[in-house]
Amino acid sequence: MAQLKVHNSLKPGAPVPFTPKEEGKVSWYACGPTVYDHSHLGHARNYVSTDIIRRIMRDYFGFHVNFVMNITDVDDKIILKARRQRLLELEKAKTYSEPDLSKIATTAFQSYAQGNLPELLKSPDNSELSPSNYATRRDAAYGKVLAGGTLTGEGKPGDAEAKMKMHLTNLTTAATAIQENKVFGGADEILLPYLDSLYKESIDGNNHTIWTDVTKYWEQQFIEDMDALNVMRPDTITRVTEYVPQIADFVDQIIKKGFAYEADGSVYFDIAAFEKAGNPYARLRPESRNDKALIEDGEGSLGKSLGGKKGAGDFALWKKSKSGEPVWPSPWGEGRPGWHIECSVMASDKLGSNMDIHSGGVDLAFPHHDNELAQSEAYFCEHGKGPHNWVNYFLHMGHLSIAGSKMSKSLKNFQTIRDALNTDYTPRGMRVVFLMGRWNDGVEISPDMRTMAEGWETTVNNFFVVVKSLIAEKGASTAEVLKSLSINSEEGLASSLDKAQKEMNVALSDSFNTPRAMQVLYELIKEANIHITTHKSNMDVGGLEAIARWITKMVGIFGLDANATAPYNGLGWASSAASKNQTPKETVEPFAAVFQTVKSEVESLSLHSEVLDQLLAANVDGEFEALVSAGRTDPEQLVMPYLRTVSKIRDEIRKLAPSSPSKKQILALSDRIRDDDLTNLGVYLDDRGDDQGALIKFVPKEELLAQREEKAAKEREKLAQKEAAKLAREKLEREKEEKAKLKPEDMFRDERFIEWDAEGIPTKTKDGEEVTKSARKKMEKEWKNQKKIHDAWKAKSGA
């Protein structure tokens, strides 16, 4: 097996060899979510990609992985979300007259615009911004952004424009709500910051339930989302609120080592002192260490007014709590943890002073992860012994973007995981999309990528269905088929499988190169399908099964089968949990019922042949009981005696149909068995030529029903078109007949003319002018045609 190499953000460039500190074991800390809102596709990208790597390390490379993930339940965004929500609830409980509420909302509207979109307040006549004149000002000031461009009209739109669009959406919704007197519910987004500015001091910081009620709810939502995506749960989950005393102790130790200082109740990390002692800072993103915007974002919106920093890049380890913020006791007064210190304390508590892997989204690299490294290495370092190494490998998942902007909760440009799973994706389909891209690359999901992923999944689905059908048709047990591999497996399939396994090892050893791994599986299936097409008489079913079982193992390792468990020794997608809870008899009951119904109906038709008589007399229940006695539990194997017999009965009666007086009934029964009886059980009979008989295929019931409905819809459309064409023809015939009834002498007798000759051809127009020769010539021609069809009508009708 090739040496595993990984992209390590601590060593930019090509992948480096992965060597865990303890052979066969991996200690891993992953930055978890900040729980204050819905999880979106950006989170799915991060946590599904992390899960894929974790599964590959565990189930492919055989590492014992100790996976720790935190839940951030103390954070500026959480504080604001929970506090503002509580203040809005209190405001809604007050009694306001309609004019008073409208006045409050309008003031909040103006305040929101001033703080986020100041261009809206500019006006040639110096008039105030109001909900009624908002739309005009919006289009004038931000029309370019709304049209998909930038504010300046140059370059491509990015996060700044995405943020503008978010604020414009909030103001647009609020303007409509205020004018319609539907303030609460419609204008909440602009009321929240306004009410917070008025009443935040009224919130009791010692009552932590104001915040934990919110975080507990969103944590549960996150866990449910991850379960839906088949993301394995962490071995250990840590929460910031459970670690506050340890965090204070950790900070105090950093102060004692001379790498942090207290200022007005807050504690800051001293970057200059840390570097002066020979320690490196910003190891992950040195180019970003002076990025003011990133530094401010890392400190949080509530930390902007805190002062006393020695250096511009120094960051908060402990924040003095202001009014309306949660508080905990500390040696420096009441306060709360800084964002970065949280992970350092929790990770170190569970994994010690050095860990193999730390991971998270690439957007956390600076300042969050760089600050984590600095403060942790400051805590563990020993003076005179050089820098301490806290993390050996840093893995950063590429972010997901929409139209060039990172998907984020703060920008509200996201699609929630739940919405995506209810509309655009299945959990497996979403994971396939992420597997198609490198875990450390940015991803912008395009229609082409979706199409490619759907095609890959369909190819795998069809291959599993066909191989299982071929095995069932052969009638051999799994043991018999596997035993035959060393004797009968064609060299071509065996060598194809061996080649694919070697290429898979190379791909996964290359920093978990899943795009290449997915291509390896696709190419192997393609070769197997060519074999199926070109070897109908001497097909190597054993070789095909070996390939299908290896592919089953790999898709299981990638987490694509939510119903499967390691070591993934099955064939195809595992049965649902519901079917696993059934007894064998309960599993086969509907299939046995179809068999009995078909048997009775065929017997009532009085059809006979040597083969048919044997099938009708077969002890199918006995075959099923033999499988149960042999310990078989696979639902598809258990129902096969009934399915195989029904399929063969159908094959035989179709052969008898042409010479039978009951031909019409036989063919109708044959269609019903295929299109109704078995479709409703998730089974498709693929009729083949050359007297091969139908191939039994297990296909999801929903898929078959959808195909049946699509077929029926097309048939209905075809019949409707046929009926419409018939009605159109009938209408045309009626119109022709009505026209034919008209005597040629009467065809020109209308208001256009005042004189006619004996045959009814006009001689003078209504203006008293003679009809021109050319006009008369044209009318004579029309007259002759009308006489011809009129005479024909008279002859046909006897008139």
Side-chain angles (χ1 to χ4, degrees):
M1 186 174 283
Q3 163 73 54
L4 171 61
K5 295 182 178 182
V6 301
H7 280 102
N8 183 1
S9 297
L10 289 166
K11 297 181 179 179
V16 297
F18 178 77
T19 306
K21 60 181 186 175
E22 186 176 351
E23 186 175 354
K25 296 182 179 181
V26 174
S27 54
W28 186 342
Y29 179 84
C31 276
T34 300
V35 284
Y36 68 98
D37 206 340
H38 294 281
S39 299
H40 54 65
L41 285 184
H43 295 112
R45 157 66 169 164
N46 181 6
Y47 296 111
V48 170
S49 295
T50 300
D51 183 69
I52 290 167
I53 296 174
R54 181 184 173 194
R55 287 173 179 273
I56 292 171
M57 295 195 83
R58 185 191 72 172
D59 298 328
Y60 186 84
F61 290 107
F63 289 110
H64 174 76
V65 180
N66 180 17
F67 188 84
V68 180
M69 186 188 79
N70 78 295
I71 298 290
T72 296
D73 57 355
V74 179
D75 170 83
D76 287 28
K77 293 171 183 174
I78 292 170
I79 294 170
L80 286 171
K81 170 97 174 188
R83 186 174 74 197
R84 289 174 175 181
Q85 199 60 48
R86 176 63 62 89
L87 292 173
L88 180 63
E89 291 168 2
L90 293 173
E91 196 71 9
K92 287 180 178 179
K94 296 177 182 178
T95 302
Y96 282 111
S97 66
E98 201 169 86
D100 286 345
L101 185 58
S102 178
K103 184 177 179 181
I104 291 172
T106 299
T107 303
F109 184 85
Q110 293 167 340
S111 175
Y112 189 96
Q114 184 173 12
N116 299 292
L117 299 167
E119 292 296 317
L120 291 171
L121 277 69
K122 298 177 181 178
S123 171
D125 59 1
N126 294 320
S127 60
E128 280 193 342
L129 172 69
S130 68
S132 59
N133 65 25
Y134 160 73
T136 302
R137 295 198 185 185
R138 173 199 64 196
D139 295 344
Y142 296 98
K144 292 177 182 177
V145 174
L146 291 171
T150 63
L151 188 62
T152 62
E154 299 177 356
K156 293 182 178 180
D159 288 354
E161 284 73 20
K163 188 172 289 187
M164 289 178 195
K165 284 185 176 181
M166 176 193 73
H167 292 314
L168 288 166
T169 298
N170 291 342
L171 285 169
T172 300
T173 303
T176 301
I178 294 169
Q179 292 179 90
E180 294 178 353
N181 293 316
K182 298 176 181 177
V183 173
F184 291 131
D188 287 358
E189 289 297 329
I190 59 105
L191 281 171
L192 288 168
Y194 178 67
L195 295 174
D196 192 60
S197 68
L198 295 178
Y199 306 120
K200 62 187 175 186
E201 289 83 1
S202 66
I203 297 295
D204 180 7
N206 289 295
N207 181 11
H208 295 166
T209 60
I210 293 173
W211 294 279
T212 56
D213 286 350
V214 170
T215 57
K216 285 177 181 178
Y217 171 81
W218 287 113
E219 177 184 337
Q220 184 59 35
Q221 295 293 298
F222 170 81
I223 289 172
E224 291 174 8
D225 287 343
M226 294 302 104
D227 287 346
L229 293 175
N230 196 31
V231 170
M232 294 189 297
R233 292 196 178 186
D235 298 308
T236 303
I237 291 179
T238 62
R239 297 172 186 84
V240 180
T241 51
E242 299 167 359
Y243 272 84
V244 177
Q246 294 97 311
I247 291 172
D249 291 342
F250 200 96
V251 171
D252 193 45
Q253 180 66 18
I254 297 174
I255 293 176
K256 289 175 180 177
K257 287 195 172 185
F259 298 132
Y261 55 91
E262 185 268 342
D264 192 27
S266 295
V267 179
Y268 298 99
F269 188 81
D270 192 335
I271 295 175
F274 182 67
E275 291 185 311
K276 187 176 180 180
N279 301 293
Y281 176 69
R283 295 167 60 195
L284 295 167
R285 294 288 188 273
E287 72 279 4
S288 299
R289 63 176 294 159
N290 296 317
D291 189 317
K292 186 178 179 181
L294 288 176
I295 292 170
E296 288 182 354
D297 187 59
E299 290 297 88
S301 59
L302 297 178
K304 291 179 181 179
S305 60
L306 296 176
K309 286 186 181 183
K310 293 180 180 178
D314 291 354
F315 53 90
L317 302 178
W318 184 266
K319 296 180 178 182
K320 178 182 179 180
S321 292
K322 300 190 293 294
S323 297
E325 297 177 6
V327 299
W328 285 269
S330 82
W332 318 284
E334 291 188 331
R336 58 188 176 89
W339 175 32
H340 317 298
I341 197 69
E342 301 168 351
C343 287
S344 290
V345 176
M346 293 184 287
S348 299
D349 179 63
K350 296 300 179 183
L351 301 178
S353 61
N354 174 254
M355 70 191 75
D356 291 307
I357 296 175
H358 192 323
S359 67
V362 67
D363 52 320
L364 297 180
F366 184 87
H368 184 56
H369 289 157
D370 267 322
N371 289 352
E372 272 190 66
L373 285 169
Q375 62 204 10
S376 301
E377 291 169 355
Y379 178 87
F380 288 111
C381 76
E382 296 181 39
H383 287 294
K385 292 189 177 182
H388 177 83
N389 188 49
W390 188 54
V391 174
N392 294 338
Y393 300 87
F394 234 120
L395 309 186
H396 284 111
M397 310 299 145
H399 61 63
L400 193 70
S401 61
I402 296 179
S405 296
K406 181 191 75 173
M407 186 179 290
S408 73
K409 286 185 283 192
S410 59
L411 293 179
K412 296 187 179 179
N413 66 338
F414 61 85
Q415 182 181 26
T416 68
I417 291 172
R418 296 185 181 214
D419 177 54
L421 293 180
N422 286 331
T423 55
D424 300 331
Y425 293 91
T426 63
R428 181 182 298 157
M430 188 183 296
R431 187 173 284 246
V432 170
V433 168
F434 296 144
L435 281 160
M436 290 285 186
R438 294 294 292 255
W439 58 270
N440 55 325
D441 288 341
V443 174
E444 183 162 5
I445 297 177
S446 66
D448 287 346
M449 180 182 287
R450 289 284 304 277
T451 300
M452 188 184 304
E454 289 166 3
W456 187 94
E457 186 178 355
T458 299
T459 297
V460 175
N461 290 345
N462 291 343
F463 181 66
F464 284 154
V465 168
V466 169
V467 172
K468 287 198 287 186
S469 301
L470 292 170
I471 293 170
E473 181 183 45
K474 185 173 181 179
S477 69
T478 299
E480 290 170 337
V481 173
L482 291 175
K483 184 178 178 181
S484 73
L485 286 178
S486 59
I487 303 171
N488 300 324
S489 184
E490 184 180 291
E491 179 62 27
L493 288 182
S495 62
S496 294
L497 176 56
D498 182 65
K499 176 173 173 283
Q501 289 172 332
K502 290 175 179 175
E503 290 179 348
M504 179 63 70
N505 181 248
V506 170
L508 296 184
S509 298
D510 178 23
S511 194
F512 318 106
N513 187 347
T514 57
R516 179 59 193 140
M518 298 290 274
Q519 188 64 26
V520 168
L521 296 179
Y522 182 83
E523 289 170 354
L524 180 59
I525 292 174
K526 185 177 178 181
E527 290 186 45
N529 285 338
I530 291 172
H531 174 85
I532 293 170
T533 303
T534 57
H535 291 71
K536 292 183 178 180
S537 61
N538 61 337
M539 198 177 299
D540 180 9
V541 178
L544 291 170
E545 178 172 6
I547 288 173
R549 286 186 178 279
W550 181 70
I551 291 173
T552 300
K553 179 178 285 291
M554 293 313 305
V555 298
I557 289 171
F558 292 159
L560 289 171
D561 193 345
N563 296 317
T565 54
Y568 311 111
N569 289 330
L571 196 163
W573 305 118
S575 302
S576 67
S579 65
K580 289 179 181 177
N581 293 330
Q582 291 181 326
T583 65
K585 192 167 185 179
E586 289 171 336
T587 298
V588 303
E589 189 173 336
F591 296 86
V594 167
F595 165 69
Q596 290 297 338
T597 299
V598 170
K599 179 180 177 181
S600 298
E601 292 191 36
V602 171
E603 288 175 339
S604 71
L605 293 172
S606 300
L607 297 173
H608 293 282
S609 74
E610 183 178 351
V611 173
L612 184 59
D613 291 345
Q614 289 176 353
L615 289 169
L616 294 174
N619 182 12
V620 185
D621 290 335
E623 290 183 54
F624 160 68
E625 294 296 342
L627 290 173
V628 175
S629 299
R632 299 294 171 79
T633 57
D634 182 357
E636 292 180 6
Q637 286 188 6
L638 292 174
V639 303
M640 191 52 70
Y642 299 99
L643 279 179
R644 189 183 295 116
T645 306
V646 168
S647 179
K648 289 182 176 179
I649 289 173
R650 179 175 173 273
D651 289 338
E652 188 62 19
I653 64 174
R654 291 178 72 206
K655 292 178 183 177
L656 299 174
S659 59
S660 172
S662 305
K663 177 181 177 180
K664 188 174 181 180
Q665 293 169 277
I666 293 171
L667 294 179
L669 174 59
S670 170
D671 288 346
R672 196 203 74 200
I673 292 171
R674 181 193 62 201
D675 299 336
D676 294 316
D677 296 347
L678 297 185
T679 289
N680 292 333
L681 296 177
V683 176
Y684 176 67
L685 295 183
D686 187 359
D687 291 321
R688 300 175 293 178
D690 304 325
D691 295 324
Q692 287 182 291
L695 191 63
I696 300 169
K697 295 182 176 181
F698 289 95
V699 180
K701 175 183 174 181
E702 296 76 16
E703 187 177 325
L704 288 177
L705 292 176
Q707 291 174 358
R708 186 174 71 183
E709 175 54 31
E710 184 180 358
K711 181 180 177 182
K714 287 181 178 178
E715 190 60 33
R716 289 193 297 269
E717 184 180 357
K718 185 177 178 181
L719 290 173
Q721 290 174 346
K722 188 175 180 180
E723 181 64 20
K726 177 186 173 185
L727 294 174
R729 287 195 303 272
E730 291 175 350
K731 180 181 178 183
L732 183 62
E733 288 300 322
R734 288 195 301 272
E735 290 173 350
K736 285 182 178 180
E737 184 174 3
E738 289 302 315
K739 182 180 179 182
K741 289 179 182 179
L742 181 64
K743 296 178 181 179
E745 294 85 358
D746 297 333
M747 66 183 296
F748 297 118
R749 292 188 180 277
D750 55 45
E751 69 278 1
R752 294 176 297 165
F753 309 103
I754 57 174
E755 286 187 9
W756 299 264
D757 64 13
E759 293 180 327
I761 296 177
T763 56
K764 283 188 179 182
T765 67
K766 65 179 181 180
D767 298 324
E769 297 178 356
E770 295 288 333
V771 173
T772 63
K773 288 183 179 181
S774 60
R776 180 177 177 82
K777 186 176 181 180
K778 182 180 178 183
M779 287 187 280
E780 286 175 347
K781 185 177 180 180
E782 292 175 4
W783 188 93
K784 288 177 182 179
N785 288 336
Q786 183 64 27
K787 185 175 188 308
K788 183 178 180 181
I789 62 174
H790 181 70
D791 290 346
W793 171 77
K794 286 199 299 181
K796 182 179 179 181
S797 63

